Amino acid sequence: MNAMKKLIAGNWKMNGSRADNAALLAGIAAGLPANACDVLVCPPAVYIADVVQALQGTAVMVGSQDVSAADKGAFTGELSAAMLADCGVRYAIVGHSERRLYHGETDAVVGAKAQAALAKGITPIVCVGETLEQREAGETQAVVKRQLAGAIHAVAHCVSEIVVAYEPVWAIGTGKTASPEQAQEVHAVLRAQLAAATEQSGRVRILYGGSMNAANAQTLLAQPDIDGGLIGGAALKAADFLTIIQAAS
Ligand code: PGA
């Protein structure tokens, strides 16, 4: 599993401006190692076309932070997978805990989004993760398995095409990272669940997310079932993001 190329994905969330993005991307492009792991940035949708253009000629790929489950039509404010693919998007984050919490996204909605992305050639990054309350109640494994099961069910025979991100909600933006052992324990559970669903589970990258930073990336990425990172805050600083990329390369 360790032979798999790691993926480092920056989730910019609702941050940035044209000027900030240009500076950040120039910094990333200038420092990218020659043998880099796969690198992805997920800017706010309104900047996607700009970012795709700015990254032309580099190995850095562009993703979206969300995608509509619907194909087209009367869905005010939504962006379809076809539109995103048309603009150069290769990956779409689906089911981020902020979308589940603030937009009421259920496992069924998240699964439908993953399926919609795949249908247009976009790789969904399916996010799962427990809240602090759920962890303390001993429900972590049940919660992440239920969330992943929703996506596995929805994408059916395409399970090997997805990326999974384990993001404990209590670690996101809090500076509290899961310990490498805590993360590995959950990643192993997810790997086993994927293995039961597809013979090609070894192809599925399982990212860790939640306060991954320049200081802790190396030990997290050294775990056998951690195949990359989904990075929020530390993805907004070129130097920090590059340090994480180096740790994964
Ligand atoms: P964080 O965010 O790195 O700022 O904790 C990670 C995420 O929410 O994807």
Side-chain angles (χ1 to χ4, degrees):
M1 245 137 264
N2 263 337
M4 180 167 19
K5 208 170 188 188
K6 287 188 166 43
L7 171 64
I8 296 298
N11 174 10
W12 294 1
K13 307 193 180 184
M14 198 169 72
N15 294 293
S17 65
R18 283 186 144 166
D20 289 347
N21 302 347
L24 177 56
L25 294 171
I28 294 169
L32 209 62
N35 63 339
C37 61
D38 287 341
V39 180
L40 176 72
V41 293
C42 302
V46 70
Y47 296 126
I48 282 174
D50 276 357
V51 170
V52 167
Q53 192 165 29
L55 290 171
Q56 256 167 30
T58 77
V60 180
M61 300 177 287
V62 181
S64 65
Q65 298 175 14
D66 184 31
V67 60
S68 177
D71 261 3
K72 64 174 186 173
F75 299 97
T76 301
E78 294 282 280
L79 299 169
S80 73
M83 292 170 187
L84 293 166
D86 192 26
C87 291
V89 161
R90 307 272 299 276
Y91 289 78
I93 299 169
V94 298
H96 190 281
S97 62
E98 289 150 17
R99 303 280 326 168
R100 292 179 188 263
L101 180 63
Y102 305 133
H103 300 270
E105 292 189 5
T106 61
D107 294 333
V109 167
V110 174
K113 289 184 170 197
Q115 172 56 28
L118 280 175
K120 300 297 177 209
I122 293 176
T123 302
I125 301 177
V126 179
C127 301
V128 302
E130 81 287 4
T131 62
L132 184 59
E133 204 181 14
Q134 290 165 334
R135 174 162 281 266
E136 285 173 348
E139 294 166 7
T140 299
Q141 296 193 8
V143 168
V144 299
K145 282 165 91 170
R146 189 198 69 223
Q147 291 172 330
L148 182 56
I152 287 174
H153 176 74
V155 306
H157 61 281
C158 295
V159 175
S160 66
E161 309 294 320
I162 70 173
V163 172
V164 177
Y166 169 54
E167 298 206 305
V169 177
W170 48 272
I172 295 176
T174 58
K176 284 189 205 132
T177 319
S179 70
E181 296 73 25
Q182 280 174 325
Q184 169 57 30
E185 190 181 3
V186 177
H187 280 232
V189 167
L190 297 172
R191 180 83 64 201
Q193 189 177 1
L194 290 164
T198 170
E199 281 168 16
Q200 297 183 67
S201 64
R203 276 183 54 184
V204 179
R205 289 188 283 201
I206 309 177
L207 315 182
Y208 171 79
S211 298
M212 190 188 269
N213 59 37
N216 62 26
Q218 190 130 33
T219 44
L220 284 161
L221 292 166
Q223 300 302 310
D225 289 302
I226 300 188
D227 309 311
L230 182 53
I231 327 291
L236 299 172
K237 295 181 206 121
D240 290 4
F241 195 53
L242 285 167
T243 302
I244 299 169
I245 290 167
Q246 256 137 23
S249 298

